[in-house]
């Protein structure tokens, strides 16, 4: 038996969960959501967790797995782009009381979640014929656009590979879309538009503002799709394009799993015909794309399950 403290530290919320590993199976014992912006450091976030009376504290966990929304350096540090403070676990026992710890990218956690009960319960969006020993692509929009791949390791298992593809330039492919790109450049004063902008909660608000002139919160936008169906159409097309391009980049014959807050809260983005049309569209690989299934992970705690799965691998490896 092992006690796992899993954390999914995002730009908006930090989610913590207590998992128990018993006979190779994970069970969720409790969870806690905290506002990331209320903490001034990782230590401050742990202090908030202690003050909440949570069932498993860092110093009592057999392993603590932190999933963070940013690239991880040397396995111990990260400077997340959407969090105003960094993470350094090089002295984790002394600084935070951690006896055993793992630091991973948040979408590496989403990739591992595909191997957990969360992945087994994912909602089918587009049909296909997945190949069991092939790469799986994981992509999802929230505060930004996250990506990762689950790759076969040649020994019957899988390894999760991080990506910062959401920071790459987003492709606009028509005169009307190029006009929208110019609008975005004026709104944000960035050098170029990335997936983090176009396919995200903020992107939903921006495309609605471009089409209607209304500057609304993403939740308000999704409640008004009936008033401006073009907002949903544009967002679905952009999301389908992002998923298609990443599926081709990773040759994800094992399938595409969509995670992240935007699609979980607004699944109509994926079920709209524009999503399928864009995802299946390719001048050379339309047949390949028709064989790749797409799933939606609806559990917003999927990152916690993925972090716990990584903790499971850590504990099982230590016992061998």
């Amino acid at each position: 038996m092992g006690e796992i403290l899993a954390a999914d530290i995002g730009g908006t919320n930090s989610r913590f969960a207590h998992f128990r590993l018993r006979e190779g199976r994970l069970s969720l014992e409790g969870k806690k959501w905290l506002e990331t912006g209320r903490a001034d450091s990782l230590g401050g976030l742990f202090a908030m967790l202690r003050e909440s009376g949570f069932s498993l504290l860092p110093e009592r966990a057999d392993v603590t797995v932190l999933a963070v929304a940013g690239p991880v350096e040397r396995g111990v540090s990260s400077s997340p782009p959407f969090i105003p403070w960094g993470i350094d676990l090089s002295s984790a026992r002394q600084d935070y009381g951690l006896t055993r710890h793992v630091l991973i990218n948040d979408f590496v956690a989403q990739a591992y979640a595909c191997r957990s009960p969360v992945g087994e319960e994912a909602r089918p969006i587009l049909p296909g014929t997945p190949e069991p020993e092939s790469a799986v692509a994981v992509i999802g929009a929230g505060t930004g656009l996250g990506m990762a791949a689950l790759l076969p390791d040649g020994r019957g298992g899988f390894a999760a590979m991080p990506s910062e593809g959401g920071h790459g330039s987003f492709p606009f492919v028509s005169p009307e879309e190029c006009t929208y790109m110019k609008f975005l450049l004026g709104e944000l004063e960035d050098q170029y538009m990335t997936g983090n902008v176009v396919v995200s909660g903020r992107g939903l608000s921006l495309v609605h503002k471009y089409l209607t002139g209304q500057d609304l919160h993403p939740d308000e936008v999704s409640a008004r799709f009936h008033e401006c169906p073009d907002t949903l159409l544009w967002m679905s097309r952009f999301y389908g394009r992002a998923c298609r391009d990443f599926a081709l980049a990773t040759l994800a014959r094992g399938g595409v799993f969509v995670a992240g807050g935007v699609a979980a809260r607004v699944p109509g983005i994926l079920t709209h015909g524009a999503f399928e049309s864009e995802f299946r569209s390719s001048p050379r690989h339309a047949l390949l794309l028709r064989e790749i299934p797409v799933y939606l992970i609806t559990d917003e705690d999927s990152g916690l399950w993925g972090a716990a799965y990584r903790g499971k691998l850590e504990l099982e490896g230590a016992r061998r």
Side-chain angles (χ1 to χ4, degrees), residues 82 107 140-146 166 195-197 199-202 239 260 262:
F82 299 116
F107 261 77
T143 304
L145 180 64
N196 281 327
V197 171
V199 187
S200 65
R202 178 172 53 161
Y239 217 130
V262 172

Side-chain angles (χ1 to χ4, degrees), residues 2 13 17 34 52 65 88 118 120 176 199 217 236 262 280 303 307:
N13 295 303
L34 301 173
S52 74
V65 182
D88 185 352
V118 167
E120 296 169 5
E176 188 174 20
V199 187
H217 187 274
S236 297
V262 172
R280 304 294 199 202

Side-chain angles (χ1 to χ4, degrees), residues 36-48 83-87 96:
T36 305
R38 290 181 54 208
D40 60 2
S41 64
L42 178 61
L45 198 60
F46 281 149
M48 289 168 57
I83 301 174
W85 37 264
I87 294 174
Y96 310 116

